[in-house]
PDB file of all heavy atoms in Angstrom:
ATOM      1  N   ARG A   1      13.154  -7.422  -5.190  1.00 97.00           N
ATOM      2  CA  ARG A   1      13.933  -7.677  -6.414  1.00 97.00           C
ATOM      3  C   ARG A   1      14.450  -6.386  -7.026  1.00 97.00           C
ATOM      4  O   ARG A   1      15.575  -6.333  -7.529  1.00 97.00           O
ATOM      5  CB  ARG A   1      13.061  -8.427  -7.424  1.00 97.00           C
ATOM      6  CG  ARG A   1      13.765  -8.795  -8.728  1.00 97.00           C
ATOM      7  CD  ARG A   1      12.828  -9.550  -9.653  1.00 97.00           C
ATOM      8  NE  ARG A   1      11.815  -8.701 -10.252  1.00 97.00           N
ATOM      9  CZ  ARG A   1      11.970  -8.015 -11.377  1.00 97.00           C
ATOM     10  NH1 ARG A   1      13.136  -8.073 -12.036  1.00 97.00           N
ATOM     11  NH2 ARG A   1      10.997  -7.286 -11.863  1.00 97.00           N
ATOM     12  N   LEU A   2      13.629  -5.345  -6.966  1.00 97.00           N
ATOM     13  CA  LEU A   2      13.998  -4.063  -7.563  1.00 97.00           C
ATOM     14  C   LEU A   2      14.835  -3.188  -6.635  1.00 97.00           C
ATOM     15  O   LEU A   2      15.284  -2.112  -7.036  1.00 97.00           O
ATOM     16  CB  LEU A   2      12.725  -3.305  -7.971  1.00 97.00           C
ATOM     17  CG  LEU A   2      11.890  -3.971  -9.086  1.00 97.00           C
ATOM     18  CD1 LEU A   2      10.520  -3.328  -9.183  1.00 97.00           C
ATOM     19  CD2 LEU A   2      12.619  -3.915 -10.418  1.00 97.00           C
ATOM     20  N   GLY A   3      15.012  -3.628  -5.408  1.00 98.00           N
ATOM     21  CA  GLY A   3      15.808  -2.849  -4.455  1.00 98.00           C
ATOM     22  C   GLY A   3      15.125  -1.573  -4.002  1.00 98.00           C
ATOM     23  O   GLY A   3      15.789  -0.598  -3.643  1.00 98.00           O
ATOM     24  N   ALA A   4      13.782  -1.571  -3.997  1.00 98.00           N
ATOM     25  CA  ALA A   4      13.041  -0.373  -3.616  1.00 98.00           C
ATOM     26  C   ALA A   4      12.989  -0.225  -2.098  1.00 98.00           C
ATOM     27  O   ALA A   4      12.738  -1.198  -1.377  1.00 98.00           O
ATOM     28  CB  ALA A   4      11.627  -0.434  -4.174  1.00 98.00           C
ATOM     29  N   ALA A   5      13.197   0.998  -1.629  1.00 98.00           N
ATOM     30  CA  ALA A   5      13.162   1.277  -0.194  1.00 98.00           C
ATOM     31  C   ALA A   5      12.037   2.229   0.183  1.00 98.00           C
ATOM     32  O   ALA A   5      11.724   2.378   1.377  1.00 98.00           O
ATOM     33  CB  ALA A   5      14.497   1.864   0.257  1.00 98.00           C
ATOM     34  N   ARG A   6      11.409   2.916  -0.813  1.00 98.00           N
ATOM     35  CA  ARG A   6      10.378   3.918  -0.541  1.00 98.00           C
ATOM     36  C   ARG A   6       9.207   3.680  -1.508  1.00 98.00           C
ATOM     37  O   ARG A   6       9.064   4.357  -2.523  1.00 98.00           O
ATOM     38  CB  ARG A   6      10.931   5.341  -0.717  1.00 98.00           C
ATOM     39  CG  ARG A   6      12.221   5.633   0.048  1.00 98.00           C
ATOM     40  CD  ARG A   6      11.966   5.807   1.527  1.00 98.00           C
ATOM     41  NE  ARG A   6      11.104   6.957   1.790  1.00 98.00           N
ATOM     42  CZ  ARG A   6      10.529   7.169   2.977  1.00 98.00           C
ATOM     43  NH1 ARG A   6      10.684   6.302   3.964  1.00 98.00           N
ATOM     44  NH2 ARG A   6       9.793   8.246   3.154  1.00 98.00           N
ATOM     45  N   VAL A   7       8.372   2.705  -1.177  1.00 98.00           N
ATOM     46  CA  VAL A   7       7.289   2.290  -2.074  1.00 98.00           C
ATOM     47  C   VAL A   7       6.058   3.164  -1.831  1.00 98.00           C
ATOM     48  O   VAL A   7       5.550   3.259  -0.706  1.00 98.00           O
ATOM     49  CB  VAL A   7       6.939   0.812  -1.867  1.00 98.00           C
ATOM     50  CG1 VAL A   7       5.809   0.404  -2.828  1.00 98.00           C
ATOM     51  CG2 VAL A   7       8.171  -0.059  -2.088  1.00 98.00           C
ATOM     52  N   PHE A   8       5.583   3.774  -2.905  1.00 98.00           N
ATOM     53  CA  PHE A   8       4.402   4.646  -2.861  1.00 98.00           C
ATOM     54  C   PHE A   8       3.245   3.908  -3.497  1.00 98.00           C
ATOM     55  O   PHE A   8       3.316   3.496  -4.663  1.00 98.00           O
ATOM     56  CB  PHE A   8       4.686   5.946  -3.616  1.00 98.00           C
ATOM     57  CG  PHE A   8       3.530   6.901  -3.688  1.00 98.00           C
ATOM     58  CD1 PHE A   8       3.227   7.726  -2.620  1.00 98.00           C
ATOM     59  CD2 PHE A   8       2.751   6.991  -4.834  1.00 98.00           C
ATOM     60  CE1 PHE A   8       2.163   8.624  -2.679  1.00 98.00           C
ATOM     61  CE2 PHE A   8       1.691   7.886  -4.910  1.00 98.00           C
ATOM     62  CZ  PHE A   8       1.399   8.709  -3.830  1.00 98.00           C
ATOM     63  N   ILE A   9       2.160   3.719  -2.731  1.00 98.00           N
ATOM     64  CA  ILE A   9       0.970   3.020  -3.224  1.00 98.00           C
ATOM     65  C   ILE A   9      -0.091   4.038  -3.630  1.00 98.00           C
ATOM     66  O   ILE A   9      -0.456   4.915  -2.837  1.00 98.00           O
ATOM     67  CB  ILE A   9       0.399   2.076  -2.145  1.00 98.00           C
ATOM     68  CG1 ILE A   9       1.402   0.962  -1.829  1.00 98.00           C
ATOM     69  CG2 ILE A   9      -0.931   1.485  -2.600  1.00 98.00           C
ATOM     70  CD1 ILE A   9       0.959   0.064  -0.680  1.00 98.00           C
ATOM     71  N   LEU A  10      -0.571   3.913  -4.865  1.00 98.00           N
ATOM     72  CA  LEU A  10      -1.710   4.698  -5.339  1.00 98.00           C
ATOM     73  C   LEU A  10      -2.868   3.734  -5.493  1.00 98.00           C
ATOM     74  O   LEU A  10      -2.783   2.775  -6.280  1.00 98.00           O
ATOM     75  CB  LEU A  10      -1.398   5.374  -6.670  1.00 98.00           C
ATOM     76  CG  LEU A  10      -2.489   6.306  -7.206  1.00 98.00           C
ATOM     77  CD1 LEU A  10      -2.652   7.524  -6.311  1.00 98.00           C
ATOM     78  CD2 LEU A  10      -2.174   6.745  -8.638  1.00 98.00           C
ATOM     79  N   ALA A  11      -3.939   3.949  -4.726  1.00 98.00           N
ATOM     80  CA  ALA A  11      -5.010   2.960  -4.663  1.00 98.00           C
ATOM     81  C   ALA A  11      -6.367   3.587  -4.905  1.00 98.00           C
ATOM     82  O   ALA A  11      -6.582   4.788  -4.677  1.00 98.00           O
ATOM     83  CB  ALA A  11      -5.003   2.265  -3.298  1.00 98.00           C
ATOM     84  N   GLY A  12      -7.304   2.756  -5.334  1.00 95.00           N
ATOM     85  CA  GLY A  12      -8.687   3.182  -5.411  1.00 95.00           C
ATOM     86  C   GLY A  12      -9.235   3.440  -4.015  1.00 95.00           C
ATOM     87  O   GLY A  12      -8.869   2.757  -3.052  1.00 95.00           O
ATOM     88  N   GLY A  13     -10.122   4.425  -3.910  1.00 94.00           N
ATOM     89  CA  GLY A  13     -10.625   4.833  -2.609  1.00 94.00           C
ATOM     90  C   GLY A  13     -11.362   3.730  -1.867  1.00 94.00           C
ATOM     91  O   GLY A  13     -11.196   3.563  -0.655  1.00 94.00           O
ATOM     92  N   HIS A  14     -12.182   2.956  -2.567  1.00 94.00           N
ATOM     93  CA  HIS A  14     -12.934   1.877  -1.918  1.00 94.00           C
ATOM     94  C   HIS A  14     -11.984   0.831  -1.344  1.00 94.00           C
ATOM     95  O   HIS A  14     -12.158   0.383  -0.198  1.00 94.00           O
ATOM     96  CB  HIS A  14     -13.889   1.229  -2.913  1.00 94.00           C
ATOM     97  CG  HIS A  14     -14.651   0.066  -2.352  1.00 94.00           C
ATOM     98  ND1 HIS A  14     -15.753   0.228  -1.551  1.00 94.00           N
ATOM     99  CD2 HIS A  14     -14.443  -1.280  -2.464  1.00 94.00           C
ATOM    100  CE1 HIS A  14     -16.208  -0.980  -1.186  1.00 94.00           C
ATOM    101  NE2 HIS A  14     -15.434  -1.890  -1.732  1.00 94.00           N
ATOM    102  N   LEU A  15     -10.985   0.446  -2.112  1.00 95.00           N
ATOM    103  CA  LEU A  15     -10.025  -0.550  -1.636  1.00 95.00           C
ATOM    104  C   LEU A  15      -9.285  -0.062  -0.401  1.00 95.00           C
ATOM    105  O   LEU A  15      -9.056  -0.819   0.548  1.00 95.00           O
ATOM    106  CB  LEU A  15      -9.013  -0.885  -2.739  1.00 95.00           C
ATOM    107  CG  LEU A  15      -9.461  -1.810  -3.861  1.00 95.00           C
ATOM    108  CD1 LEU A  15      -8.354  -1.929  -4.899  1.00 95.00           C
ATOM    109  CD2 LEU A  15      -9.829  -3.188  -3.329  1.00 95.00           C
ATOM    110  N   LEU A  16      -8.902   1.199  -0.398  1.00 95.00           N
ATOM    111  CA  LEU A  16      -8.104   1.739   0.698  1.00 95.00           C
ATOM    112  C   LEU A  16      -8.924   1.909   1.975  1.00 95.00           C
ATOM    113  O   LEU A  16      -8.459   1.602   3.078  1.00 95.00           O
ATOM    114  CB  LEU A  16      -7.491   3.075   0.288  1.00 95.00           C
ATOM    115  CG  LEU A  16      -6.534   3.722   1.294  1.00 95.00           C
ATOM    116  CD1 LEU A  16      -5.316   2.845   1.529  1.00 95.00           C
ATOM    117  CD2 LEU A  16      -6.099   5.097   0.813  1.00 95.00           C
ATOM    118  N   ARG A  17     -10.158   2.376   1.827  1.00 94.00           N
ATOM    119  CA  ARG A  17     -10.935   2.746   3.011  1.00 94.00           C
ATOM    120  C   ARG A  17     -11.883   1.654   3.502  1.00 94.00           C
ATOM    121  O   ARG A  17     -12.225   1.621   4.678  1.00 94.00           O
ATOM    122  CB  ARG A  17     -11.751   4.020   2.711  1.00 94.00           C
ATOM    123  CG  ARG A  17     -10.895   5.273   2.527  1.00 94.00           C
ATOM    124  CD  ARG A  17     -11.773   6.521   2.421  1.00 94.00           C
ATOM    125  NE  ARG A  17     -12.567   6.523   1.193  1.00 94.00           N
ATOM    126  CZ  ARG A  17     -12.204   7.144   0.066  1.00 94.00           C
ATOM    127  NH1 ARG A  17     -11.055   7.804   0.022  1.00 94.00           N
ATOM    128  NH2 ARG A  17     -12.970   7.107  -0.997  1.00 94.00           N
ATOM    129  N   GLN A  18     -12.321   0.754   2.608  1.00 94.00           N
ATOM    130  CA  GLN A  18     -13.378  -0.172   2.991  1.00 94.00           C
ATOM    131  C   GLN A  18     -13.011  -1.638   2.874  1.00 94.00           C
ATOM    132  O   GLN A  18     -13.873  -2.509   3.058  1.00 94.00           O
ATOM    133  CB  GLN A  18     -14.627   0.129   2.150  1.00 94.00           C
ATOM    134  CG  GLN A  18     -15.148   1.558   2.347  1.00 94.00           C
ATOM    135  CD  GLN A  18     -16.414   1.826   1.572  1.00 94.00           C
ATOM    136  OE1 GLN A  18     -17.318   0.984   1.529  1.00 94.00           O
ATOM    137  NE2 GLN A  18     -16.511   2.994   0.951  1.00 94.00           N
ATOM    138  N   THR A  19     -11.766  -1.948   2.542  1.00 96.00           N
ATOM    139  CA  THR A  19     -11.302  -3.331   2.537  1.00 96.00           C
ATOM    140  C   THR A  19      -9.954  -3.386   3.250  1.00 96.00           C
ATOM    141  O   THR A  19      -9.345  -2.355   3.543  1.00 96.00           O
ATOM    142  CB  THR A  19     -11.130  -3.886   1.104  1.00 96.00           C
ATOM    143  OG1 THR A  19      -9.887  -3.406   0.548  1.00 96.00           O
ATOM    144  CG2 THR A  19     -12.278  -3.459   0.190  1.00 96.00           C
ATOM    145  N   ASP A  20      -9.478  -4.594   3.492  1.00 96.00           N
ATOM    146  CA  ASP A  20      -8.160  -4.743   4.114  1.00 96.00           C
ATOM    147  C   ASP A  20      -7.080  -5.079   3.097  1.00 96.00           C
ATOM    148  O   ASP A  20      -5.956  -5.432   3.462  1.00 96.00           O
ATOM    149  CB  ASP A  20      -8.207  -5.814   5.203  1.00 96.00           C
ATOM    150  CG  ASP A  20      -8.574  -7.198   4.670  1.00 96.00           C
ATOM    151  OD1 ASP A  20      -8.857  -7.318   3.442  1.00 96.00           O
ATOM    152  OD2 ASP A  20      -8.590  -8.156   5.456  1.00 96.00           O
ATOM    153  N   GLU A  21      -7.418  -4.964   1.792  1.00 97.00           N
ATOM    154  CA  GLU A  21      -6.464  -5.353   0.750  1.00 97.00           C
ATOM    155  C   GLU A  21      -5.201  -4.485   0.771  1.00 97.00           C
ATOM    156  O   GLU A  21      -4.082  -4.995   0.676  1.00 97.00           O
ATOM    157  CB  GLU A  21      -7.127  -5.274  -0.631  1.00 97.00           C
ATOM    158  CG  GLU A  21      -8.310  -6.196  -0.823  1.00 97.00           C
ATOM    159  CD  GLU A  21      -7.933  -7.666  -0.903  1.00 97.00           C
ATOM    160  OE1 GLU A  21      -6.721  -7.971  -0.934  1.00 97.00           O
ATOM    161  OE2 GLU A  21      -8.850  -8.500  -0.927  1.00 97.00           O
ATOM    162  N   ILE A  22      -5.361  -3.175   0.893  1.00 98.00           N
ATOM    163  CA  ILE A  22      -4.189  -2.291   0.859  1.00 98.00           C
ATOM    164  C   ILE A  22      -3.372  -2.466   2.137  1.00 98.00           C
ATOM    165  O   ILE A  22      -2.127  -2.485   2.090  1.00 98.00           O
ATOM    166  CB  ILE A  22      -4.618  -0.824   0.678  1.00 98.00           C
ATOM    167  CG1 ILE A  22      -5.500  -0.680  -0.574  1.00 98.00           C
ATOM    168  CG2 ILE A  22      -3.386   0.081   0.577  1.00 98.00           C
ATOM    169  CD1 ILE A  22      -4.884  -1.205  -1.849  1.00 98.00           C
ATOM    170  N   ARG A  23      -4.057  -2.600   3.260  1.00 97.00           N
ATOM    171  CA  ARG A  23      -3.338  -2.822   4.513  1.00 97.00           C
ATOM    172  C   ARG A  23      -2.520  -4.102   4.451  1.00 97.00           C
ATOM    173  O   ARG A  23      -1.382  -4.156   4.941  1.00 97.00           O
ATOM    174  CB  ARG A  23      -4.345  -2.875   5.675  1.00 97.00           C
ATOM    175  CG  ARG A  23      -3.699  -3.137   7.039  1.00 97.00           C
ATOM    176  CD  ARG A  23      -2.695  -2.061   7.385  1.00 97.00           C
ATOM    177  NE  ARG A  23      -2.032  -2.337   8.657  1.00 97.00           N
ATOM    178  CZ  ARG A  23      -0.870  -1.828   9.007  1.00 97.00           C
ATOM    179  NH1 ARG A  23      -0.220  -1.001   8.199  1.00 97.00           N
ATOM    180  NH2 ARG A  23      -0.342  -2.118  10.174  1.00 97.00           N
ATOM    181  N   ARG A  24      -3.053  -5.132   3.834  1.00 97.00           N
ATOM    182  CA  ARG A  24      -2.318  -6.395   3.700  1.00 97.00           C
ATOM    183  C   ARG A  24      -1.037  -6.188   2.889  1.00 97.00           C
ATOM    184  O   ARG A  24       0.015  -6.753   3.206  1.00 97.00           O
ATOM    185  CB  ARG A  24      -3.233  -7.431   3.027  1.00 97.00           C
ATOM    186  CG  ARG A  24      -2.686  -8.842   3.027  1.00 97.00           C
ATOM    187  CD  ARG A  24      -3.682  -9.811   2.415  1.00 97.00           C
ATOM    188  NE  ARG A  24      -4.878  -9.917   3.232  1.00 97.00           N
ATOM    189  CZ  ARG A  24      -6.113  -9.725   2.796  1.00 97.00           C
ATOM    190  NH1 ARG A  24      -6.320  -9.396   1.531  1.00 97.00           N
ATOM    191  NH2 ARG A  24      -7.145  -9.871   3.589  1.00 97.00           N
ATOM    192  N   ILE A  25      -1.121  -5.379   1.861  1.00 98.00           N
ATOM    193  CA  ILE A  25       0.060  -5.099   1.036  1.00 98.00           C
ATOM    194  C   ILE A  25       1.066  -4.252   1.812  1.00 98.00           C
ATOM    195  O   ILE A  25       2.279  -4.491   1.754  1.00 98.00           O
ATOM    196  CB  ILE A  25      -0.373  -4.411  -0.275  1.00 98.00           C
ATOM    197  CG1 ILE A  25      -1.184  -5.395  -1.126  1.00 98.00           C
ATOM    198  CG2 ILE A  25       0.836  -3.886  -1.053  1.00 98.00           C
ATOM    199  CD1 ILE A  25      -1.928  -4.759  -2.269  1.00 98.00           C
ATOM    200  N   GLU A  26       0.563  -3.274   2.561  1.00 98.00           N
ATOM    201  CA  GLU A  26       1.464  -2.442   3.374  1.00 98.00           C
ATOM    202  C   GLU A  26       2.228  -3.298   4.373  1.00 98.00           C
ATOM    203  O   GLU A  26       3.441  -3.114   4.576  1.00 98.00           O
ATOM    204  CB  GLU A  26       0.646  -1.374   4.106  1.00 98.00           C
ATOM    205  CG  GLU A  26       0.023  -0.337   3.186  1.00 98.00           C
ATOM    206  CD  GLU A  26      -0.949   0.575   3.904  1.00 98.00           C
ATOM    207  OE1 GLU A  26      -1.311   0.267   5.061  1.00 98.00           O
ATOM    208  OE2 GLU A  26      -1.358   1.597   3.312  1.00 98.00           O
ATOM    209  N   VAL A  27       1.534  -4.229   5.001  1.00 98.00           N
ATOM    210  CA  VAL A  27       2.190  -5.109   5.980  1.00 98.00           C
ATOM    211  C   VAL A  27       3.243  -5.982   5.292  1.00 98.00           C
ATOM    212  O   VAL A  27       4.347  -6.178   5.813  1.00 98.00           O
ATOM    213  CB  VAL A  27       1.143  -5.971   6.708  1.00 98.00           C
ATOM    214  CG1 VAL A  27       1.822  -7.067   7.536  1.00 98.00           C
ATOM    215  CG2 VAL A  27       0.264  -5.103   7.601  1.00 98.00           C
ATOM    216  N   ALA A  28       2.912  -6.504   4.121  1.00 98.00           N
ATOM    217  CA  ALA A  28       3.867  -7.347   3.394  1.00 98.00           C
ATOM    218  C   ALA A  28       5.120  -6.563   3.009  1.00 98.00           C
ATOM    219  O   ALA A  28       6.229  -7.098   3.027  1.00 98.00           O
ATOM    220  CB  ALA A  28       3.200  -7.931   2.148  1.00 98.00           C
ATOM    221  N   LEU A  29       4.952  -5.282   2.689  1.00 98.00           N
ATOM    222  CA  LEU A  29       6.105  -4.437   2.338  1.00 98.00           C
ATOM    223  C   LEU A  29       6.949  -4.085   3.558  1.00 98.00           C
ATOM    224  O   LEU A  29       8.159  -3.867   3.441  1.00 98.00           O
ATOM    225  CB  LEU A  29       5.625  -3.155   1.653  1.00 98.00           C
ATOM    226  CG  LEU A  29       5.146  -3.274   0.215  1.00 98.00           C
ATOM    227  CD1 LEU A  29       4.450  -1.991  -0.224  1.00 98.00           C
ATOM    228  CD2 LEU A  29       6.323  -3.591  -0.718  1.00 98.00           C
ATOM    229  N   GLY A  30       6.317  -3.998   4.713  1.00 98.00           N
ATOM    230  CA  GLY A  30       7.056  -3.663   5.927  1.00 98.00           C
ATOM    231  C   GLY A  30       7.699  -2.292   5.838  1.00 98.00           C
ATOM    232  O   GLY A  30       7.067  -1.306   5.445  1.00 98.00           O
ATOM    233  N   SER A  31       8.989  -2.221   6.169  1.00 98.00           N
ATOM    234  CA  SER A  31       9.691  -0.929   6.203  1.00 98.00           C
ATOM    235  C   SER A  31       9.867  -0.319   4.823  1.00 98.00           C
ATOM    236  O   SER A  31      10.228   0.865   4.708  1.00 98.00           O
ATOM    237  CB  SER A  31      11.065  -1.110   6.858  1.00 98.00           C
ATOM    238  OG  SER A  31      11.872  -2.000   6.102  1.00 98.00           O
ATOM    239  N   ARG A  32       9.610  -1.081   3.767  1.00 98.00           N
ATOM    240  CA  ARG A  32       9.732  -0.538   2.409  1.00 98.00           C
ATOM    241  C   ARG A  32       8.546   0.367   2.056  1.00 98.00           C
ATOM    242  O   ARG A  32       8.609   1.123   1.092  1.00 98.00           O
ATOM    243  CB  ARG A  32       9.824  -1.669   1.367  1.00 98.00           C
ATOM    244  CG  ARG A  32      11.044  -2.558   1.515  1.00 98.00           C
ATOM    245  CD  ARG A  32      11.027  -3.670   0.464  1.00 98.00           C
ATOM    246  NE  ARG A  32      12.029  -4.675   0.720  1.00 98.00           N
ATOM    247  CZ  ARG A  32      13.277  -4.629   0.282  1.00 98.00           C
ATOM    248  NH1 ARG A  32      13.659  -3.604  -0.466  1.00 98.00           N
ATOM    249  NH2 ARG A  32      14.127  -5.587   0.557  1.00 98.00           N
ATOM    250  N   HIS A  33       7.460   0.279   2.806  1.00 98.00           N
ATOM    251  CA  HIS A  33       6.274   1.079   2.511  1.00 98.00           C
ATOM    252  C   HIS A  33       6.488   2.512   2.963  1.00 98.00           C
ATOM    253  O   HIS A  33       6.759   2.772   4.134  1.00 98.00           O
ATOM    254  CB  HIS A  33       5.047   0.488   3.193  1.00 98.00           C
ATOM    255  CG  HIS A  33       3.822   1.317   3.032  1.00 98.00           C
ATOM    256  ND1 HIS A  33       3.176   1.937   4.084  1.00 98.00           N
ATOM    257  CD2 HIS A  33       3.117   1.659   1.913  1.00 98.00           C
ATOM    258  CE1 HIS A  33       2.136   2.597   3.637  1.00 98.00           C
ATOM    259  NE2 HIS A  33       2.068   2.452   2.321  1.00 98.00           N
ATOM    260  N   ALA A  34       6.333   3.468   2.025  1.00 98.00           N
ATOM    261  CA  ALA A  34       6.542   4.887   2.345  1.00 98.00           C
ATOM    262  C   ALA A  34       5.223   5.621   2.562  1.00 98.00           C
ATOM    263  O   ALA A  34       5.109   6.434   3.480  1.00 98.00           O
ATOM    264  CB  ALA A  34       7.335   5.564   1.228  1.00 98.00           C
ATOM    265  N   ALA A  35       4.222   5.375   1.718  1.00 98.00           N
ATOM    266  CA  ALA A  35       2.949   6.078   1.845  1.00 98.00           C
ATOM    267  C   ALA A  35       1.922   5.421   0.938  1.00 98.00           C
ATOM    268  O   ALA A  35       2.266   4.755  -0.051  1.00 98.00           O
ATOM    269  CB  ALA A  35       3.112   7.555   1.463  1.00 98.00           C
ATOM    270  N   SER A  36       0.648   5.640   1.285  1.00 98.00           N
ATOM    271  CA  SER A  36      -0.465   5.220   0.433  1.00 98.00           C
ATOM    272  C   SER A  36      -1.338   6.440   0.167  1.00 98.00           C
ATOM    273  O   SER A  36      -1.571   7.261   1.062  1.00 98.00           O
ATOM    274  CB  SER A  36      -1.288   4.121   1.106  1.00 98.00           C
ATOM    275  OG  SER A  36      -0.516   2.949   1.279  1.00 98.00           O
ATOM    276  N   HIS A  37      -1.830   6.545  -1.054  1.00 98.00           N
ATOM    277  CA  HIS A  37      -2.565   7.740  -1.479  1.00 98.00           C
ATOM    278  C   HIS A  37      -3.762   7.308  -2.307  1.00 98.00           C
ATOM    279  O   HIS A  37      -3.719   6.299  -3.022  1.00 98.00           O
ATOM    280  CB  HIS A  37      -1.634   8.635  -2.312  1.00 98.00           C
ATOM    281  CG  HIS A  37      -2.259   9.922  -2.761  1.00 98.00           C
ATOM    282  ND1 HIS A  37      -2.308  11.047  -1.972  1.00 98.00           N
ATOM    283  CD2 HIS A  37      -2.869  10.267  -3.933  1.00 98.00           C
ATOM    284  CE1 HIS A  37      -2.899  12.037  -2.623  1.00 98.00           C
ATOM    285  NE2 HIS A  37      -3.249  11.587  -3.819  1.00 98.00           N
ATOM    286  N   THR A  38      -4.846   8.078  -2.237  1.00 97.00           N
ATOM    287  CA  THR A  38      -6.021   7.843  -3.066  1.00 97.00           C
ATOM    288  C   THR A  38      -6.507   9.200  -3.581  1.00 97.00           C
ATOM    289  O   THR A  38      -5.805  10.199  -3.470  1.00 97.00           O
ATOM    290  CB  THR A  38      -7.119   7.103  -2.270  1.00 97.00           C
ATOM    291  OG1 THR A  38      -8.172   6.731  -3.164  1.00 97.00           O
ATOM    292  CG2 THR A  38      -7.660   7.944  -1.133  1.00 97.00           C
TER     293      THR A  38
END
């Protein structure tokens, strides 16, 4: 909706490293996902 092409995810460390929640979001974003950081 926002026309974003370079989505930057800032996530809690536990969510990023020990769950699949962030990966699920990255997959849903597809090519719009630019990077994830904790």
Side-chain angles (χ1 to χ4, degrees):
R1 182 179 73 87
L2 295 167
R6 308 285 297 167
V7 180
F8 178 80
I9 296 175
L10 184 67
H14 177 79
L15 283 176
L16 185 63
R17 292 188 293 265
Q18 300 183 42
T19 79
D20 62 357
E21 298 290 353
I22 305 305
R23 179 60 183 158
R24 189 177 294 126
I25 293 167
E26 293 171 348
V27 169
L29 285 169
S31 62
R32 297 178 191 272
H33 175 245
S36 296
H37 182 84
T38 188

